[in-house]
Amino acid sequence: MTIRIVTGGIAQETNTFQWEPTTLADFSKGSSEIVRGAEILALAGTGTIYGGIVAEAARLGVELIPTTYGAAVPGGRVSREAFDTLRGEILDGIRAALPVDGVLLGLHGAMALEDADDGEGPLIAAVREIVGPDVPIIAPLDLHTNLSDEMIAEADGFVGYKAYPHTDTPETGAQALRMLVATVKGEITPTMASARVPLIAPNQSMVTTWQSPLKEAIDRARSMEGEPGIVGATVLGGFPFADVPFAGVATIVVTDNDPALARRCADELAGLCWERRERFTIHPTPPAEAIAEALAGEPGSVYVLADISDSGASGTAGDGTVILKALLDAGARSAAVAQIMDPAAVTACVAAGVGGTVELSVGGKHDGLHGAPVEVRGTVRLIHEGSFVQAGPMGRGRVASRGRTVVLEIGGRGGIELQLTDLRGHPNDLNYFRAFGIEPTERRILVLKSAAHFRAAFEPIATKVIEVAAPGISSPDLHSFPYQRLRRPIYPLDPETQWSPGE
Ligand SMILES: [Zn+2]
């Protein structure tokens, strides 16, 4: 008998400091997408979890029964309507597929709802109610998962990404499917332990392209996975831009029927993170200083100025203006900015037409937390419908879009090329420039609104990456956030926090 695995899910990372909710319509806008049935299977070969899951299912000869998978760009809390609608489709799909041998869920792990801090726990619980206690439920998780008790209680196993930027998304999907299939075949009895560390860490300190404190713990998790009895070992950095009680660093270890080993390993990984707590600090450079350094660079050099506090991939609006203002103040040239979200400015540029000159007030309109609007005068060089195919390494083969996109050239040829967009986006791919007629390797300064995902594509072409200090709701300065629901005490908000693994 062919093993039957039903799959579907909801993936969204919620920045609860983003006032604008994520609605059902938002799940179909820009780079967000709801895929159903055979469309899920068509994700084979892409840089998504299903890129790995579909290929692995074929390799293992199991039948994958797709339901609905909704993946939205990070943003505000998910509306009840969006959650209930997608959950309803997934549950209907599972009911129609019964009997099944296992459930593989496509989750992010840090979804909050407009009326609940945890989206994943209730989703898994609802699936459990349908399939019963004996059908295993397993899911891959994003490294930025905020792990809730209900998630752990309702699922049989999780395995998280180990790379940030998330270049191992397909591999993690495949690993989760292997865990599920081995469970169905009776080869393993997944036994899970988790530990939640009283630590929130800025995303920027979790990057694995350098030996960050989180990567040191992840390296140990990787080595654990080669040890007897361990099926999966995960270090979650958590998502700190979420004011939910269970936000922060956590670990998960799945063993083959060995609860003591799972507990010991989960605690060991938690201890590694806790010992390093003072090193989860980021020291960004003031904008003027970063720009001066870039302008003084050797001819042919490329400086990436990362607007790490206004990262669309962390749910900000992406309309921050502080670095643009500093570029204008410095008279910077050969600078390309991806991007400022400002639909009104886009409309004005479209009205002026290609070649037209406009005077505009751009950005700073969404929430007032990312700098004031900035007056610019420039020439409209390009008007684009906005979508393009990503080259990777992250999200390779997927279509990204920020809606209508305009390139406004400020200061004439060789000045500042500012992309204005309808929607927010996360420039993690060279095609965020190339698709719009800008060759990133030929610009002195690239301004990217991205906390870390830009590194996969841009570190290889950058002379230097500078993390720039600007305000915003993905700031590494966690003291700047008005947390109210987060559990306390927690480091670094409560610097005297005492803890040891096993508590
Ligand atoms: Zn993530």
Side-chain angles (χ1 to χ4, degrees):
M1 281 273 285
T2 306
I3 291 174
R4 288 165 51 81
I5 304 294
V6 66
T7 189
I10 312 174
Q12 194 261 7
E13 181 181 69
T14 302
N15 185 323
T16 66
F17 300 100
Q18 168 61 262
W19 64 264
E20 189 175 36
T22 299
T23 64
L24 187 57
D26 290 327
F27 270 86
S28 302
K29 268 188 204 161
S31 300
S32 304
E33 195 172 31
I34 302 174
V35 281
R36 297 178 172 94
E39 293 169 339
I40 294 180
L41 304 180
L43 292 172
T46 60
T48 65
I49 52 166
Y50 281 106
I53 292 166
V54 175
E56 195 66 7
R59 198 183 68 83
L60 296 173
V62 304
E63 185 188 355
L64 201 58
I65 304 154
T67 61
T68 292
Y69 177 61
V73 167
R77 286 174 179 265
V78 172
S79 73
R80 174 52 61 179
E81 184 202 13
F83 179 74
D84 284 352
T85 302
L86 293 170
R87 183 181 59 174
E89 286 189 24
I90 294 161
L91 299 182
D92 286 348
I94 294 173
R95 278 190 208 96
L98 292 175
V100 296
D101 298 302
V103 183
L104 190 99
L105 290 177
L107 306 174
H108 176 285
M111 173 169 61
L113 311 180
E114 60 182 344
D115 54 0
D117 288 329
D118 180 20
E120 285 84 0
L123 174 62
I124 304 169
V127 172
R128 175 63 71 203
E129 222 177 282
I130 292 174
V131 299
D134 300 329
V135 171
I137 302 174
I138 287 177
L141 293 176
D142 191 280
L143 178 141
H144 298 105
T145 290
N146 285 327
L147 188 65
S148 71
D149 290 342
E150 191 173 19
M151 288 170 69
I152 287 288
E154 299 291 345
D156 294 275
F158 293 114
V159 61
Y161 306 160
K162 292 183 172 65
Y164 180 37
H166 304 326
T167 49
D168 63 341
T169 305
E171 292 93 315
T172 311
Q175 189 182 359
L177 185 75
R178 280 196 296 278
M179 196 188 286
L180 180 59
V181 171
T183 305
V184 170
K185 288 181 170 171
E187 295 168 358
I188 60 167
T189 303
T191 306
M192 184 161 56
S194 66
R196 201 178 290 133
V197 187
L199 169 66
I200 46 169
N203 275 18
Q204 296 85 356
S205 71
M206 302 174 193
V207 169
T208 57
T209 61
W210 54 282
Q211 200 61 20
S212 68
L214 197 78
K215 178 163 187 297
E216 292 172 8
I218 290 171
D219 286 346
R220 175 67 188 115
R222 224 183 264 283
S223 78
M224 277 179 184
E225 288 185 345
E227 292 171 14
I230 297 180
V231 180
T234 297
V235 179
L236 301 170
F239 188 64
F241 315 122
D243 187 14
V244 300
F246 46 86
V249 175
T251 66
I252 304 169
V253 173
V254 181
T255 63
D256 177 16
N257 202 23
D258 191 338
L261 179 65
R263 166 60 34 220
R264 201 162 64 240
C265 290
D267 285 345
E268 182 190 334
L269 294 174
L272 292 176
C273 296
W274 181 244
E275 284 163 21
R276 287 162 176 72
R277 62 192 176 280
E278 290 173 13
R279 290 174 45 214
F280 285 88
T281 307
I282 294 295
H283 303 283
T285 305
E289 204 178 298
I291 291 165
E293 183 180 344
L295 293 178
E298 295 284 318
S301 52
V302 177
Y303 283 75
V304 168
L305 272 47
D307 193 353
I308 56 175
S309 300
D310 187 18
S311 174
S314 295
T316 74
D319 77 339
T321 55
V322 171
I323 300 177
L324 173 64
K325 174 77 167 48
L327 288 172
L328 293 166
D329 289 348
R333 303 192 63 75
S334 187
V337 181
Q339 69 280 321
I340 286 181
M341 181 197 79
D342 191 333
V346 170
T347 296
C349 290
V350 170
V354 171
T357 300
V358 291
E359 278 186 55
L360 292 170
S361 167
V362 299
K365 295 163 189 163
H366 181 78
D367 55 18
L369 298 173
H370 301 80
V374 169
E375 304 300 320
V376 297
R377 180 188 161 80
T379 304
V380 178
R381 286 293 175 204
L382 181 96
I383 298 172
H384 194 293
E385 140 292 330
S387 65
F388 59 96
V389 177
Q390 291 182 253
M394 253 190 88
R396 183 173 42 82
R398 300 295 299 133
V399 174
S401 174
R402 298 164 293 175
R404 293 179 307 164
T405 299
V406 166
V407 176
L408 185 67
E409 189 177 65
I410 302 166
R413 292 285 179 201
I416 298 170
E417 291 156 301
L418 170 64
Q419 294 184 37
L420 296 167
T421 63
D422 268 343
L423 305 171
R424 61 179 178 269
H426 41 98
N428 61 345
D429 195 289
L430 299 183
N431 284 352
Y432 274 85
F433 291 105
R434 287 185 175 149
F436 305 94
I438 300 167
E439 176 46 49
T441 59
E442 294 174 4
R443 296 296 182 273
R444 175 61 60 90
I445 295 176
L446 303 173
V447 176
L448 301 173
K449 289 187 175 296
S450 176
H453 281 322
F454 71 90
R455 290 177 181 275
F458 287 91
E459 275 185 352
I461 68 154
T463 309
K464 187 175 179 184
V465 168
I466 304 178
E467 295 179 308
V468 180
I473 59 171
S474 65
S475 169
D477 177 11
L478 301 181
H479 294 278
S480 68
F481 292 86
Y483 293 105
Q484 292 181 336
R485 301 181 55 72
L486 182 65
R487 71 193 180 285
R488 306 294 285 264
I490 197 163
Y491 191 88
L493 305 180
D494 305 301
E496 304 305 321
T497 304
Q498 302 285 318
W499 184 75
S500 59
E503 266 178 41

